[in-house]
Amino acid sequence: MQQGESYMKVRSFQLADYVTVTHLLEKVLPEACYDETMEAFARQLSWDSELVLVAEKEQSIVGIIIGTIDNNKGYFYRVAVHADHQRQGIGKTLIETMKQRFVHRNVSRIFVAGDIHNKTFLPVYESVGYRATDYSRAEQRLRITSGY
């Protein structure tokens, strides 16, 4: 860590984070994406809050990743990083930490939800080793069918 850089911590979402995360998503995401993401965020919290991670710097939440598991497959659903903290490796760290969660859950394969809103973030996924074949273009939005 270089001088002037602050320590970043990735941890599971906590209920006390809700207002801060909601404001972060509202600032970072386009309106249509925000509405979809908030629906998916609420569903994922009710299913498995351990698959919602936040990045903290100086006790402030600067990023979030929402993942899900469906039929033994892990999906990166949405990553959002505060504009003042982009291009600092936060998105990559969130992706790597979520990947570790998926691995610990013994998922058979990991995909990136390839919806229209994730297109701008695809180069970040590619920079950590995901390829076009790892993008799921399913029409369903973060929906779990039968258990995992």
Side-chain angles (χ1 to χ4, degrees):
M1 193 172 330
Q2 297 176 355
Q3 188 174 357
E5 285 187 44
S6 58
Y7 174 74
M8 183 188 58
K9 170 181 153 184
V10 175
R11 62 170 175 77
S12 296
F13 172 87
Q14 299 167 358
L15 191 54
D17 301 329
Y18 187 81
V19 171
T20 306
V21 166
T22 301
H23 287 135
L24 170 70
L25 292 171
E26 193 172 28
K27 279 184 176 178
V28 174
L29 302 176
E31 188 175 343
C33 180
Y34 171 79
D35 293 340
E36 281 181 24
T37 301
M38 288 305 295
E39 288 177 30
F41 175 51
R43 282 194 303 270
Q44 187 56 41
L45 287 177
S46 71
W47 291 329
D48 187 348
S49 63
E50 291 295 308
L51 295 177
V52 179
L53 303 174
V54 296
E56 256 185 345
K57 264 184 154 180
E58 300 170 6
Q59 285 102 32
S60 294
I61 294 174
V62 296
I64 181 174
I65 186 167
I66 302 168
T68 195
I69 297 174
D70 184 13
N71 293 323
N72 206 36
K73 292 179 181 72
Y75 294 87
F76 297 111
Y77 177 70
R78 185 81 67 230
V79 178
V81 177
H82 191 284
D84 294 344
H85 298 276
Q86 292 177 359
R87 303 198 180 281
Q88 297 176 18
I90 294 169
K92 289 179 186 180
T93 302
L94 285 164
I95 291 167
E96 287 300 321
T97 306
M98 183 62 72
K99 178 183 175 184
Q100 292 169 11
R101 295 263 167 118
F102 288 151
V103 169
H104 282 92
R105 301 282 186 94
N106 297 314
V107 300
S108 60
R109 186 101 193 264
I110 300 173
F111 293 95
V112 176
D115 69 15
I116 191 167
H117 306 298
N118 273 343
K119 288 190 189 293
T120 58
F121 216 82
L122 295 183
V124 179
Y125 286 109
E126 291 168 356
S127 74
V128 294
Y130 291 91
R131 300 175 312 280
T133 55
D134 298 319
Y135 302 137
S136 168
R137 286 170 177 55
E139 291 303 309
Q140 48 189 315
R141 291 186 207 138
L142 193 60
R143 182 176 66 80
I144 291 186
T145 50
S146 59
Y148 40 105

